[in-house]
Every structure is written in C-alpha cells, then in structure tokens.
Amino acid sequence: MPGERGAAPGSGPEARPRGPGVGDPVPAFALVNQYGETVTETTPGSDPFFLVFYPFAFSRVCTSELSELEAARGDFATRGVRVYGVSVDHKFALRAYAQELGLGFELLADFWPHGAAARSFGCFDDAHGRAARATFLVADGHIAARFDSAVGASRPLTAYRLAVEALPRD
C-alpha cells in the first residue's frame, strides 16, 4: 500500500526498507539521464515525481514494470506527476533500453559513483551491486509515498495509482 514503509509480503527481513520514509525530506541527488542531462531532486520544480529504482536494464521483470509504467504515464501526467526510472546502468545502455521499450520518461544512471543515489535512498543491494526494487513518490521536497518489492517481483501498478490519488488536489 502506498505510504507504507513495509516490505512486500513474504519478502523476508532482508528486504525491509532502509532510508527515507513517508514525510522525510528527499535525499539530494544528481544523476544523468539517457541523454547525458543532469537531473536533480529539484529538476521537476514543484511537480511531484516518482523515482522508480530497479535492478538492471534489459532484465525481464524490470522490462515488464517499466513498460507498464509507460502505458500509465499519461494518467500520472494528468495529475502533474512525472516518472523517472533509476538503475546502476550506464547512460548509453539506458538510452538503448529506453529506445527499445519506447519509453517517454527519463531513465537515470546511478552508474558512478556506483549506486550512490540508491544508497542515499536506502535501497542499494551491496551483495549484488544493484538497486533494490523501491519506489518513492516525491512531492514538495518530501517523500509522499514509498513502496518496495522483492527483486523478482513487480510493484503493482495499483500502488502507483493509489499514491497519486492520495496527493492533495490543487
């Protein structure tokens, strides 16, 4: 459920989230997108945005998840919510991945220092050198919702929709 800090059911104690939770300030970050442009926590201005951490480009579950988010992106945009995917892949790999999937949202490279943004959000998997599967909805400089799932499990699209619906309306 959006806004909860708990791990996905059955994901075990090793998957319990660390890092910021609902109400906490968004950690500072500066990442390059697939075009080499820098995106920071303030790039969207005052617009809310999802930071969608995922393990690796071109993997089965990640591809399915990002394709589903692309299909729903217009729904989020009607509420002024942007989507950014974040992985430890290089910007050149992310550009090819975004083109292959036909993504209209930006993919951010947490490539070097390796996983620095994922670490600041408490969702870096040191044992495997990848981001864990964690989503943060950022609004007004704070975490408005957070939800996580096990590496092999997709986050449900309904969690994204509920998080957006919980945002205050202008």
Side-chain angles (χ1 to χ4, degrees):
M1 169 111 358
E4 290 184 8
R5 238 183 118 134
S11 58
E14 70 282 352
R16 294 222 190 287
R18 304 174 312 255
V22 174
D24 292 339
V26 64
F29 66 88
L31 299 169
V32 295
N33 66 13
Q34 68 264 39
Y35 305 108
E37 303 160 333
T38 300
V39 174
T40 70
E41 70 280 1
T42 61
T43 296
S46 61
D47 293 338
F49 60 94
F50 281 113
L51 276 182
V52 181
F53 287 90
Y54 62 96
F56 294 113
F58 298 102
S59 61
R60 183 183 54 79
V61 176
C62 298
T63 297
S64 172
E65 266 196 310
L66 296 182
S67 295
E68 190 173 36
L69 285 173
E70 175 58 29
R73 186 172 53 88
D75 297 339
F76 303 145
T78 62
R79 287 290 307 273
V81 178
R82 297 181 66 172
V83 176
Y84 296 99
V86 185
S87 73
V88 297
D89 299 292
H90 194 276
K91 68 180 178 184
F92 296 120
L94 293 178
R95 182 183 279 189
Y97 188 48
Q99 286 174 339
E100 181 176 299
L101 294 180
L103 298 179
F105 58 88
E106 296 173 58
L107 298 181
L108 308 180
D110 195 9
F111 183 73
W112 198 257
H114 187 72
R119 288 177 203 282
S120 71
F121 279 84
C123 61
F124 187 74
D125 178 351
D126 282 303
H128 297 97
R130 63 186 177 205
R133 207 170 291 283
T135 298
F136 299 85
L137 176 58
V138 176
D140 297 320
H142 290 79
I143 306 298
R146 176 185 179 159
F147 43 99
D148 304 74
S149 68
V151 168
S154 294
R155 290 154 284 195
L157 189 57
T158 55
Y160 290 89
R161 293 187 190 284
L162 289 170
V164 169
E165 282 303 311
L167 289 172
R169 294 199 180 259
D170 294 328

